[in-house]
Amino acid sequence: MEDTPQSLLTATNKKNKHNLNTSVANLGCFLRVLVDTSYIEPTSKQALFRLVHENFKSKESDEVSIQNISNNYYSPLPTTWEAVKDDVLNILNYIQKNKN
């Protein structure tokens, strides 16, 4: 069976996706933090969600759902906020240890 251009493109996209070492829920919430604090300024939120969908995969799945990212961006659970806070504190601790 011969590969079609679309099947080759799909295989290439899956192979080149970057792994997420966090949940999609945490990522959606973290993206909200980055946008709300103007750290990143996407052309649109939907474009940002699509970028993540096309370029990342989670530990649970090779496909990160745009709807899942969107839901967690707009309505993160309190436990997700706590998890993102812990992630940010880990980042700050890393910076503090390695700043010189």
Side-chain angles (χ1 to χ4, degrees), residues 88-100:
V88 170
L89 288 173
N90 284 334
I91 292 167
L92 290 172
N93 286 331
Y94 175 85
I95 292 169
Q96 184 65 33
K97 281 195 283 187
N98 294 285
K99 66 181 179 181
N100 289 326

Side-chain angles (χ1 to χ4, degrees), residues 65-81:
S65 157
I66 292 173
Q67 188 62 50
N68 195 5
I69 299 165
S70 177
N71 290 346
N72 286 288
Y73 180 97
Y74 290 109
S75 301
L77 297 172
T79 53
T80 305
W81 281 112

Side-chain angles (χ1 to χ4, degrees), residues 25-65:
N26 290 3
L27 178 63
C29 183
F30 188 65
L31 288 173
R32 179 173 169 176
V33 171
L34 294 175
V35 171
D36 287 356
T37 60
S38 300
Y39 195 80
I40 59 173
E41 297 177 349
T43 54
S44 76
K45 291 178 183 94
Q46 285 303 313
L48 178 63
F49 303 153
R50 194 169 38 258
L51 177 120
V52 172
H53 164 74
E54 292 171 355
N55 293 288
F56 292 89
K57 61 184 176 178
S58 71
K59 290 179 180 179
E60 295 83 24
S61 173
D62 285 344
E63 293 296 322
V64 174
S65 157

